[in-house]
Amino acid sequence: MPFIQLLQIPLEATPSLDQQRWRDLVAKLASADGVVATHWAPQHENNKIGGIVATWKSLDAQKAWSESGAGQEFSADLKLLSTTNDDSTTFTEDIIDLREDPTPALTAHVVEVVWWDHELEQIGEAREAKAYEAFVTLQNGVGSQTEGGSVAGWGQKEFEHQGKPTRRFYCLIGWSSVEAHMACKKTEAFAESIVPLRNQGHVAVGMAHYPFRAI
């Protein structure tokens, strides 16, 4: 199964490959042993947040690189580049275990990245399976309106919500535009097929759009 590394990085300015520090950061990750594709973009909602998605051959490859000298250098560069911007957005990173190839979704004009936080103590095999089944319901309900399709999976890293540890369930959905996504949300098909995902017992939800491009 493919794994993706998702980085959402608050920056002092809109990221661009014209900026050497940003270009070098993305290039270092793209050249990592075990990375098969790398996509990046400024966030649509806040263009001072840079998004990077690296698709890895395996979780073991990602872990080995992160512990290597090159991986440690990348982490140090990342800390130097990231900041807390005007709305106090903080850096987030996760490793997401997917069941399908993310490439078609990531090559859409716009990618919706949405996540639901679940309390760690509530997560088990049954909840993990139920969340994916709920995603499939959404996928079947609105798939014809998307561009490039959609993928989903559980993040491997822990976060915190109101003092309790959480993990995130993610969906990445390709759209022809942000407007196309907003129009889909007004349809009966969406209203019906999103219900299972909204009834998973999560404690928080987040969403952003990225017009990802490959490097």
Side-chain angles (χ1 to χ4, degrees), residues 7-194:
L7 304 166
Q8 300 187 85
I9 312 161
L11 304 162
E12 293 182 353
T14 302
S16 167
L17 293 184
D18 292 333
Q19 301 162 353
Q20 184 172 348
R21 293 176 68 192
W22 178 258
R23 183 173 65 249
D24 289 349
L25 183 77
V26 177
K28 282 180 182 178
L29 185 56
S31 64
D33 187 23
V35 168
V36 297
T38 306
H39 296 79
W40 73 276
Q43 188 189 104
H44 173 79
E45 288 76 12
N46 182 345
N47 62 15
K48 289 186 179 179
I49 295 177
I52 305 176
V53 175
T55 304
W56 289 85
K57 290 181 180 178
S58 67
L59 183 60
D60 286 343
Q62 194 281 327
K63 286 182 176 178
W65 182 79
S66 67
E67 294 171 359
S68 70
Q72 294 296 313
E73 182 179 316
F74 174 82
S75 295
D77 290 347
L78 189 58
K79 289 178 181 178
L80 288 173
L81 192 60
S82 63
T83 184
T84 299
N85 58 24
D86 295 340
D87 62 357
S88 298
T89 301
T90 55
F91 165 76
T92 62
E93 176 185 15
D94 212 344
I95 310 297
I96 307 167
D97 182 2
L98 301 173
R99 298 191 185 186
E100 300 174 87
D101 180 7
T103 304
L106 289 172
T107 52
H109 282 85
V110 173
V111 180
E112 172 196 0
V113 181
V114 57
W115 59 92
W116 292 264
D117 287 63
H118 294 253
E119 290 184 0
L120 195 61
E121 63 182 14
Q122 300 296 327
I123 300 173
E125 289 185 5
R127 176 166 292 208
E128 288 187 347
K130 189 177 179 181
Y132 194 82
E133 290 171 3
F135 159 70
V136 172
T137 298
L138 177 66
Q139 191 179 43
N140 291 337
V142 303
S144 62
Q145 301 181 57
T146 64
E147 179 183 86
S150 52
V151 292
W154 282 90
Q156 306 302 298
K157 291 185 176 291
E158 291 185 14
F159 293 87
E160 184 178 293
H161 179 75
Q162 296 182 350
K164 294 186 177 181
T166 63
R167 281 176 55 215
R168 292 176 172 176
F169 181 73
Y170 291 85
C171 295
L172 280 72
I173 306 173
W175 300 97
S176 60
S177 65
V178 173
E179 291 75 19
H181 175 208
M182 296 299 106
C184 178
K185 291 179 70 173
K186 297 178 182 179
T187 65
E188 184 177 347
F190 178 85
E192 292 177 352
S193 59
I194 193 63

